[in-house]
Amino acid sequence: MEDIEDTRYEAVRSRDARFDGTFFFAVTTTGIYCRPSCPAVTPKRHNVRFHPTAAAAQQAGFRACRRCRPDTTPGSAEWNVRADAVARAMRLIADGVVDREGVAGLAGRLGYSTRQIQRQLTAEVGAGPVALARAQRAHTARVLLRTTSLPITEIAFASGFASVRQFNDTIRAIYAATPTDLRAAPPAVRRPATSARSRPGTPTAPGGGARAARAASAEGTGIPSAGIPLRLAHRGPHQSTALFDVLAAEAIPGVEELSGPRGRRTYRRTLRLPYGTGIAEVDERPGTGGRDRSAPAPGRPGGWLDARLHLTDPRDLTTAVQRLRRLFDLDADPYAVDERLGADERLAPLVAARPGLRSPGAADPEEFAIRALAGPAEAARLVQTYGKALDAPHGTLTHLFPEPAALADADTRGPLRALATALADGAVRLDVGADRDEAEAALLALPGMDPRTVAEIRTRALGDPDVAPPDTPLPDAWRPWRSYALRHLHPASRSTG
């Protein structure tokens, strides 16, 4: 334990951003906690305490550093790699399940008692599900305070707090400031200029009737007409052009679109969310270096993708952000991936040419599974025939992808109907807390599901970083990053999703 903490202190002393999000350190003399790369003066070793999560530091009574903003770090890549109950719980909490369904709902999804979940999370990450959800609510509230003019009372409930008093107490405890103080501080995110992605006269909020009409204008709503601006942080280099190429090849008309020249594209898509609907916009960043302020800089590896969210209900902010993070693989650890794969003679030149290559996920796992089975042409037909139309088009975006229940009841047949029915009735679970092995077995048991399609679903919809297609032997030395290895080996390949 002492050796581990000494290693962590060396990371803090060298301000090594590669460890941002993997652990946090707190300073007993100041009462604050920071990310490892915090630019402040390095505290003395005997005044430092280490915590596995921001929630653990907060639960120990420490406040977030205003300088390094540790709550904005990328998530730990460990939770995407692992498939045990703790990792599945962390993914579900990040998706907002505790806010929507409570701890009992979280435990039920995992097949454990609430006491077991509390004990396992506390033992491993230093905080239980309530504390982890509380930390996430506080971050969501800070984003809304800094990027919208929504009334503070509305922000409190939109962030998942049960009362305004609880909201005020939490913000003071974590940020040592009142909600009004946070709002008055200089904005952390620059609002995007009007461009092709925020065209005059184009509605900016999908669906929702009267709510959509109100959200389409900044007047009286508090939500920027250009959407809620975000910086989606990532660790290390991010080959966004390669990932945008995949999205461009897969885009389904009406649900997705890409605009702009290669290297500066904007990806836009519709989202079905727990409380409403949304439009997500994410900007491509060329390369991994240069003068782009969002690319990694010397001594500060990491960067961000600029994004905007148009939501009919701000309570969906947390869930929408997590879906984008999974789609763009933003919580990955490219240092660990590149170190392992770069040691292989076959992969070394490929890794050197494209450091930080990501394995794209899915914005909607059930949607991706249906698209992977149906193929692009049939998926486009399903959208136009069974997809729910937005109340008002948002540029070329006109529909939500059809829900499995709608396809199960529609005039579909064969494997597609079997898959839609299994997803609709819960026989197959593909949510972020699903057991990957159980999901794969359930998919393979469906008529007409071939192993290669199931492998693609496991890679993209379930976010498994270590999938090898059937009849494709890959070296064990590439584990647990075989999904990334395949991206290097087949850069031009496209999935059916």
Side-chain angles (χ1 to χ4, degrees):
M1 183 66 178
E2 187 174 339
D3 290 342
I4 293 175
E5 293 200 345
D6 287 343
T7 300
R8 288 177 172 175
Y9 184 72
E10 286 302 313
V12 170
R13 193 169 66 172
S14 61
R15 297 180 176 85
D16 194 335
R18 292 177 299 175
F19 294 93
D20 285 355
T22 62
F23 72 86
F24 299 82
F25 74 94
V27 185
T28 57
T29 52
T30 62
I32 66 170
Y33 74 94
C34 304
R35 61 171 78 197
S37 65
C38 183
V41 175
T42 304
K44 295 179 179 179
R45 174 65 183 87
H46 64 269
N47 292 329
V48 172
R49 303 291 182 269
F50 295 102
H51 299 277
T53 60
Q58 293 167 15
Q59 192 159 271
F62 294 96
R63 305 184 307 275
C65 174
R66 296 182 183 180
R67 189 168 181 182
C68 72
R69 290 169 47 203
D71 57 323
T72 64
T73 59
S76 174
E78 184 178 5
W79 311 130
N80 293 330
V81 176
R82 288 169 44 179
D84 56 27
V86 169
R88 292 163 57 203
M90 293 295 287
R91 294 197 294 268
L92 284 168
I93 293 169
D95 199 55
V97 166
V98 171
D99 291 334
R100 296 192 298 270
E101 304 174 19
V103 178
L106 171 68
R109 284 173 174 259
L110 296 171
Y112 289 85
S113 70
T114 56
R115 181 174 296 181
Q116 288 174 311
I117 293 299
Q118 174 75 31
R119 184 172 62 248
Q120 290 188 47
L121 285 172
T122 301
E124 185 150 348
V125 303
V130 172
L132 290 163
R134 173 179 177 263
Q136 184 164 269
R137 289 184 204 118
H139 174 60
T140 299
R142 188 186 64 79
V143 171
L144 291 174
L145 285 166
R146 301 290 291 275
T147 62
T148 76
S149 57
L150 286 168
I152 286 178
T153 299
E154 189 171 340
I155 288 176
F157 293 108
S159 304
F161 290 95
S163 69
V164 175
R165 180 176 180 178
Q166 182 189 67
F167 166 69
N168 288 331
D169 291 345
T170 300
I171 295 299
R172 287 192 188 97
I174 293 178
Y175 298 111
T178 66
T180 302
D181 293 336
L182 282 182
R183 169 160 280 171
V189 180
R190 293 184 178 180
R191 299 192 181 189
T194 300
S195 65
R197 53 181 175 264
S198 55
R199 305 172 183 86
T202 301
T204 55
R211 176 179 288 147
R214 290 195 301 271
S217 170
E219 288 293 326
T221 67
I223 299 176
S225 59
I228 299 174
L230 302 164
R231 284 178 176 175
L232 303 176
H234 59 78
R235 185 179 292 105
H238 188 286
Q239 294 286 340
S240 64
T241 295
L243 200 150
F244 271 71
D245 287 345
V246 173
L247 297 178
E250 298 175 350
I252 299 295
V255 173
E256 300 168 290
E257 71 167 9
L258 282 92
S259 59
R262 188 170 186 266
R264 290 288 183 183
R265 291 169 288 189
T266 294
Y267 170 76
R268 302 168 69 243
R269 68 154 294 146
T270 60
L271 295 172
R272 177 180 288 103
L273 298 163
Y275 296 106
T277 58
I279 297 289
E281 303 177 352
V282 182
D283 296 337
E284 177 184 1
R285 291 295 181 179
T288 59
R291 297 184 179 180
D292 194 328
R293 291 179 63 248
S294 70
R300 292 281 303 190
W304 67 84
L305 298 181
D306 286 316
R308 293 155 300 283
L309 284 171
H310 306 265
L311 304 174
T312 61
D313 194 318
R315 290 178 295 176
D316 283 321
L317 177 61
T318 295
T319 301
V321 167
Q322 289 303 316
R323 292 189 182 182
L324 292 179
R325 297 195 67 80
R326 289 193 292 273
L327 175 62
F328 289 91
D329 196 21
L330 297 175
D331 291 325
D333 184 351
Y335 302 109
V337 175
D338 291 355
E339 181 180 14
R340 173 62 60 88
L341 300 183
D344 181 87
E345 182 178 351
R346 180 183 178 189
L347 294 176
L350 302 177
V351 173
R354 297 200 296 178
L357 185 67
R358 304 302 169 109
S359 178
D364 186 321
E366 294 181 343
E367 172 192 313
F368 182 86
I370 292 169
R371 291 169 60 166
L373 178 62
E378 177 64 9
R381 187 190 73 82
L382 293 175
V383 168
Q384 296 303 315
T385 306
Y386 304 109
K388 181 180 178 181
L390 302 180
D391 286 355
H394 194 280
T396 65
L397 303 181
T398 57
H399 288 75
L400 298 171
F401 195 86
E403 295 181 274
L407 296 177
D409 295 336
D411 186 22
T412 55
R413 54 181 61 89
L416 181 59
R417 185 181 186 88
L419 174 60
T421 301
L423 291 171
D425 64 19
V428 172
R429 279 187 53 202
L430 298 178
D431 60 81
V432 292
D435 183 288
R436 291 165 177 164
D437 291 337
E438 291 180 3
E440 180 179 15
L443 286 168
L444 288 171
L446 297 176
M449 288 295 290
D450 65 280
R452 188 166 291 274
T453 298
V454 172
E456 184 70 10
I457 293 172
R458 178 161 183 159
T459 302
R460 298 284 299 275
L462 294 173
D464 191 338
D466 191 38
V467 177
D471 305 321
T472 306
L474 298 178
D476 285 342
W478 295 358
R479 290 180 178 271
W481 312 116
R482 291 180 296 174
S483 299
Y484 292 86
L486 287 174
R487 285 289 165 190
H488 280 291
L489 291 171
H490 308 292
S493 69
R494 55 168 292 185
S495 71
T496 55

PDB file of all heavy atoms in Angstrom, residues 131-146:
ATOM      1  N   ALA A 131     -23.396   8.283  -2.359  1.00  0.00           N
ATOM      2  CA  ALA A 131     -22.325   9.284  -2.417  1.00  0.00           C
ATOM      3  C   ALA A 131     -21.810   9.461  -3.842  1.00  0.00           C
ATOM      4  O   ALA A 131     -21.516  10.580  -4.280  1.00  0.00           O
ATOM      5  CB  ALA A 131     -21.180   8.876  -1.496  1.00  0.00           C
ATOM      6  N   LEU A 132     -21.694   8.367  -4.599  1.00  0.00           N
ATOM      7  CA  LEU A 132     -21.237   8.458  -5.985  1.00  0.00           C
ATOM      8  C   LEU A 132     -22.240   9.241  -6.832  1.00  0.00           C
ATOM      9  O   LEU A 132     -21.861  10.086  -7.652  1.00  0.00           O
ATOM     10  CB  LEU A 132     -21.034   7.055  -6.556  1.00  0.00           C
ATOM     11  CG  LEU A 132     -19.846   6.279  -5.973  1.00  0.00           C
ATOM     12  CD1 LEU A 132     -19.978   4.795  -6.276  1.00  0.00           C
ATOM     13  CD2 LEU A 132     -18.526   6.810  -6.520  1.00  0.00           C
ATOM     14  N   ALA A 133     -23.529   8.961  -6.623  1.00  0.00           N
ATOM     15  CA  ALA A 133     -24.560   9.688  -7.362  1.00  0.00           C
ATOM     16  C   ALA A 133     -24.583  11.159  -6.954  1.00  0.00           C
ATOM     17  O   ALA A 133     -24.800  12.040  -7.785  1.00  0.00           O
ATOM     18  CB  ALA A 133     -25.925   9.044  -7.129  1.00  0.00           C
ATOM     19  N   ARG A 134     -24.354  11.425  -5.681  1.00  0.00           N
ATOM     20  CA  ARG A 134     -24.328  12.813  -5.190  1.00  0.00           C
ATOM     21  C   ARG A 134     -23.221  13.613  -5.873  1.00  0.00           C
ATOM     22  O   ARG A 134     -23.421  14.767  -6.281  1.00  0.00           O
ATOM     23  CB  ARG A 134     -24.118  12.805  -3.681  1.00  0.00           C
ATOM     24  CG  ARG A 134     -23.906  14.174  -3.032  1.00  0.00           C
ATOM     25  CD  ARG A 134     -23.749  13.984  -1.527  1.00  0.00           C
ATOM     26  NE  ARG A 134     -23.466  15.234  -0.823  1.00  0.00           N
ATOM     27  CZ  ARG A 134     -22.257  15.640  -0.470  1.00  0.00           C
ATOM     28  NH1 ARG A 134     -21.196  14.885  -0.776  1.00  0.00           N
ATOM     29  NH2 ARG A 134     -22.091  16.767   0.188  1.00  0.00           N
ATOM     30  N   ALA A 135     -22.040  13.015  -6.007  1.00  0.00           N
ATOM     31  CA  ALA A 135     -20.936  13.695  -6.679  1.00  0.00           C
ATOM     32  C   ALA A 135     -21.284  13.998  -8.129  1.00  0.00           C
ATOM     33  O   ALA A 135     -20.964  15.066  -8.660  1.00  0.00           O
ATOM     34  CB  ALA A 135     -19.671  12.832  -6.604  1.00  0.00           C
ATOM     35  N   GLN A 136     -21.968  13.070  -8.762  1.00  0.00           N
ATOM     36  CA  GLN A 136     -22.353  13.268 -10.163  1.00  0.00           C
ATOM     37  C   GLN A 136     -23.419  14.354 -10.283  1.00  0.00           C
ATOM     38  O   GLN A 136     -23.382  15.177 -11.204  1.00  0.00           O
ATOM     39  CB  GLN A 136     -22.871  11.951 -10.732  1.00  0.00           C
ATOM     40  CG  GLN A 136     -23.205  12.017 -12.206  1.00  0.00           C
ATOM     41  CD  GLN A 136     -23.336  10.636 -12.797  1.00  0.00           C
ATOM     42  OE1 GLN A 136     -22.370  10.060 -13.305  1.00  0.00           O
ATOM     43  NE2 GLN A 136     -24.528  10.075 -12.727  1.00  0.00           N
ATOM     44  N   ARG A 137     -24.368  14.385  -9.346  1.00  0.00           N
ATOM     45  CA  ARG A 137     -25.394  15.431  -9.360  1.00  0.00           C
ATOM     46  C   ARG A 137     -24.756  16.805  -9.233  1.00  0.00           C
ATOM     47  O   ARG A 137     -25.158  17.758  -9.904  1.00  0.00           O
ATOM     48  CB  ARG A 137     -26.381  15.229  -8.202  1.00  0.00           C
ATOM     49  CG  ARG A 137     -27.305  14.046  -8.340  1.00  0.00           C
ATOM     50  CD  ARG A 137     -28.296  14.019  -7.192  1.00  0.00           C
ATOM     51  NE  ARG A 137     -28.786  12.675  -6.982  1.00  0.00           N
ATOM     52  CZ  ARG A 137     -28.615  11.961  -5.880  1.00  0.00           C
ATOM     53  NH1 ARG A 137     -27.971  12.500  -4.854  1.00  0.00           N
ATOM     54  NH2 ARG A 137     -29.089  10.739  -5.778  1.00  0.00           N
ATOM     55  N   ALA A 138     -23.778  16.910  -8.343  1.00  0.00           N
ATOM     56  CA  ALA A 138     -23.121  18.199  -8.128  1.00  0.00           C
ATOM     57  C   ALA A 138     -22.430  18.666  -9.406  1.00  0.00           C
ATOM     58  O   ALA A 138     -22.487  19.859  -9.760  1.00  0.00           O
ATOM     59  CB  ALA A 138     -22.109  18.096  -6.993  1.00  0.00           C
ATOM     60  N   HIS A 139     -21.778  17.743 -10.124  1.00  0.00           N
ATOM     61  CA  HIS A 139     -21.115  18.123 -11.367  1.00  0.00           C
ATOM     62  C   HIS A 139     -22.142  18.564 -12.406  1.00  0.00           C
ATOM     63  O   HIS A 139     -21.947  19.573 -13.118  1.00  0.00           O
ATOM     64  CB  HIS A 139     -20.296  16.960 -11.897  1.00  0.00           C
ATOM     65  CG  HIS A 139     -19.688  17.225 -13.247  1.00  0.00           C
ATOM     66  ND1 HIS A 139     -18.807  18.252 -13.476  1.00  0.00           N
ATOM     67  CD2 HIS A 139     -19.856  16.612 -14.441  1.00  0.00           C
ATOM     68  CE1 HIS A 139     -18.439  18.255 -14.743  1.00  0.00           C
ATOM     69  NE2 HIS A 139     -19.074  17.271 -15.348  1.00  0.00           N
ATOM     70  N   THR A 140     -23.254  17.830 -12.521  1.00  0.00           N
ATOM     71  CA  THR A 140     -24.315  18.206 -13.462  1.00  0.00           C
ATOM     72  C   THR A 140     -24.853  19.591 -13.130  1.00  0.00           C
ATOM     73  O   THR A 140     -25.067  20.426 -14.018  1.00  0.00           O
ATOM     74  CB  THR A 140     -25.452  17.179 -13.417  1.00  0.00           C
ATOM     75  OG1 THR A 140     -24.944  15.895 -13.801  1.00  0.00           O
ATOM     76  CG2 THR A 140     -26.584  17.569 -14.363  1.00  0.00           C
ATOM     77  N   ALA A 141     -25.058  19.851 -11.835  1.00  0.00           N
ATOM     78  CA  ALA A 141     -25.565  21.159 -11.407  1.00  0.00           C
ATOM     79  C   ALA A 141     -24.585  22.268 -11.784  1.00  0.00           C
ATOM     80  O   ALA A 141     -24.998  23.338 -12.257  1.00  0.00           O
ATOM     81  CB  ALA A 141     -25.813  21.152  -9.900  1.00  0.00           C
ATOM     82  N   ARG A 142     -23.295  22.021 -11.591  1.00  0.00           N
ATOM     83  CA  ARG A 142     -22.298  23.036 -11.924  1.00  0.00           C
ATOM     84  C   ARG A 142     -22.324  23.346 -13.418  1.00  0.00           C
ATOM     85  O   ARG A 142     -22.239  24.520 -13.822  1.00  0.00           O
ATOM     86  CB  ARG A 142     -20.901  22.580 -11.502  1.00  0.00           C
ATOM     87  CG  ARG A 142     -19.845  23.665 -11.636  1.00  0.00           C
ATOM     88  CD  ARG A 142     -18.452  23.128 -11.351  1.00  0.00           C
ATOM     89  NE  ARG A 142     -18.062  22.128 -12.325  1.00  0.00           N
ATOM     90  CZ  ARG A 142     -17.626  22.409 -13.554  1.00  0.00           C
ATOM     91  NH1 ARG A 142     -17.524  23.670 -13.947  1.00  0.00           N
ATOM     92  NH2 ARG A 142     -17.302  21.455 -14.380  1.00  0.00           N
ATOM     93  N   VAL A 143     -22.464  22.309 -14.249  1.00  0.00           N
ATOM     94  CA  VAL A 143     -22.534  22.536 -15.694  1.00  0.00           C
ATOM     95  C   VAL A 143     -23.737  23.402 -16.040  1.00  0.00           C
ATOM     96  O   VAL A 143     -23.643  24.363 -16.813  1.00  0.00           O
ATOM     97  CB  VAL A 143     -22.594  21.192 -16.449  1.00  0.00           C
ATOM     98  CG1 VAL A 143     -22.903  21.429 -17.931  1.00  0.00           C
ATOM     99  CG2 VAL A 143     -21.278  20.434 -16.313  1.00  0.00           C
ATOM    100  N   LEU A 144     -24.892  23.081 -15.471  1.00  0.00           N
ATOM    101  CA  LEU A 144     -26.101  23.851 -15.772  1.00  0.00           C
ATOM    102  C   LEU A 144     -26.007  25.277 -15.238  1.00  0.00           C
ATOM    103  O   LEU A 144     -26.478  26.221 -15.875  1.00  0.00           O
ATOM    104  CB  LEU A 144     -27.328  23.143 -15.192  1.00  0.00           C
ATOM    105  CG  LEU A 144     -27.707  21.823 -15.864  1.00  0.00           C
ATOM    106  CD1 LEU A 144     -28.843  21.131 -15.109  1.00  0.00           C
ATOM    107  CD2 LEU A 144     -28.113  22.047 -17.313  1.00  0.00           C
ATOM    108  N   LEU A 145     -25.390  25.449 -14.076  1.00  0.00           N
ATOM    109  CA  LEU A 145     -25.233  26.793 -13.523  1.00  0.00           C
ATOM    110  C   LEU A 145     -24.335  27.650 -14.397  1.00  0.00           C
ATOM    111  O   LEU A 145     -24.568  28.851 -14.578  1.00  0.00           O
ATOM    112  CB  LEU A 145     -24.659  26.713 -12.103  1.00  0.00           C
ATOM    113  CG  LEU A 145     -25.616  26.269 -11.001  1.00  0.00           C
ATOM    114  CD1 LEU A 145     -24.839  25.908  -9.737  1.00  0.00           C
ATOM    115  CD2 LEU A 145     -26.647  27.360 -10.693  1.00  0.00           C
ATOM    116  N   ARG A 146     -23.291  27.027 -14.947  1.00  0.00           N
ATOM    117  CA  ARG A 146     -22.297  27.788 -15.700  1.00  0.00           C
ATOM    118  C   ARG A 146     -22.685  27.991 -17.163  1.00  0.00           C
ATOM    119  O   ARG A 146     -22.166  28.908 -17.814  1.00  0.00           O
ATOM    120  CB  ARG A 146     -20.941  27.072 -15.628  1.00  0.00           C
ATOM    121  CG  ARG A 146     -20.408  26.879 -14.217  1.00  0.00           C
ATOM    122  CD  ARG A 146     -19.974  28.174 -13.576  1.00  0.00           C
ATOM    123  NE  ARG A 146     -18.781  28.715 -14.197  1.00  0.00           N
ATOM    124  CZ  ARG A 146     -17.536  28.356 -13.857  1.00  0.00           C
ATOM    125  NH1 ARG A 146     -17.346  27.445 -12.898  1.00  0.00           N
ATOM    126  NH2 ARG A 146     -16.499  28.892 -14.443  1.00  0.00           N
TER     127      ARG A 146
END
